[in-house]
Amino acid sequence: ASIIANAFHEMSDIDNAVEYSNIGIEAYKRTDNIQEVARVMNNLGETYRSIEEYQKAIDIFKEGLELMKDIPSKREQGYYHANMAECKLKVGEIKEAEKFINLADDIFKDSEDKYAIASFLRIKASIDYEKGRKEEKEKKEREEKREKREGKEKKEERKGEKKERRKEKKKRKEKEKKKKKEKKRKKG
C-alpha cells in the first residue's frame, strides 16, 4: 500500500496518496512493524507538505517522531527532523524550525547520503534566509519607531519653542503697552 501511495504522490493524486498511506499505516500497525509505520507516516507528512497543508504535516511528523524514539534508524529520524523544520518554517515558527534543523544536522553531519545532505542544506539555507528577513524587518520597525519617537520629540520641542516665542512676544507687547501708558501719563 505504501508503494502505491508513493506512486499516487508522484502523480500528484493526493487523495489516493493519503488513502493508501493510511491503509499502509494500518497494515503495518497490525504487524507491529513500527519502523514501516514511521516511514509511511513520514511519506504521508511529505504528501501534506507538498499541498501546503503544513499543520497536518506537522501533526503527522510529530506523531512519527514519537514512534521514531523506539527505532534505531538515525537516518529516518534525520528526515523527520528536516521535514518538521521545513514545515515549521512555512508556518512562521523560525525558532522551532531552527531547533529541528539542528537536530537533523547532528544526524546528517557525518552522513554519506548526498540527497539527505542536499535536502538538509536547502532547508537550513531557507531558515537562515527567513531569519535574516525577520531580523531585517524587526530592525526596520525599530528604526521607524525611533524616527517616529524622535520626530515626535522634535515636534514637541518645536511646539515648546513656539510657545516660548509667543510668551516672549506677549511680554514685549505688554512692555510696549506699559511704555505707551507711561508716556501718556507723563505727557498728560
Side-chain angles (χ1 to χ4, degrees), residues 37-53:
V37 171
R39 189 181 58 73
V40 176
M41 287 182 78
N42 188 53
N43 292 345
L44 179 59
E46 288 179 358
T47 298
Y48 280 117
R49 184 189 65 209
S50 73
I51 58 170
E52 299 179 359
E53 289 193 32

Side-chain angles (χ1 to χ4, degrees), residues 137-148:
K137 182 180 176 187
E138 289 170 351
K139 181 180 175 184
K140 186 177 178 182
E141 287 172 354
R142 282 192 306 272
E143 287 175 4
E144 286 173 355
K145 281 181 183 179
R146 182 183 49 77
E147 287 172 1
K148 188 175 179 181

